[in-house]
Amino acid sequence: MSEIDYMNECTARDLIVMLSEEYQIAPSEAMDILYNSETYAKLKDPKTGLYFQSPAYIYGYLDKEIKQGSLATE
């Protein structure tokens, strides 16, 4: 496992916990939401550099995506 992959997995773990607590959902449901999100796709793309950010920062994007249905601003 590369260092970036490890960082992504640690961040994903933290995001799942944050989602579970914030939305009062099971961790399995939080995993489904995260792994199917645009935010996670951007996190997995090393070109974005998102993996360098804190889980709280990334959660802001994820929460926005959940509430708006997309990361795109319209």
Side-chain angles (χ1 to χ4, degrees), residues 2 6 9-12 23 31 34 38 40-42 45 47 49 52 58 62 74:
S2 74
Y6 179 75
E9 289 304 315
C10 291
T11 299
Y23 287 93
M31 288 173 67
L34 175 63
E38 291 177 50
Y40 186 70
K42 291 190 181 303
D45 182 357
K47 295 176 195 166
F52 277 123
I58 298 167
L62 182 59
E74 294 182 21

Side-chain angles (χ1 to χ4, degrees), residues 2 10-11 13-15 19 22 26 28 32-33 35 38 40 42 45-46 48 51-52 56 64-65 67-68 70-72:
S2 74
C10 291
T11 299
R13 176 200 60 215
D14 294 344
L15 292 171
L19 272 176
E22 179 74 21
S28 59
D32 188 47
I33 291 168
Y35 292 139
E38 291 177 50
Y40 186 70
K42 291 190 181 303
D45 182 357
T48 67
Y51 63 91
F52 277 123
K64 178 181 177 185
E65 179 182 351
K67 290 177 179 172
Q68 295 183 353
S70 175
L71 288 176

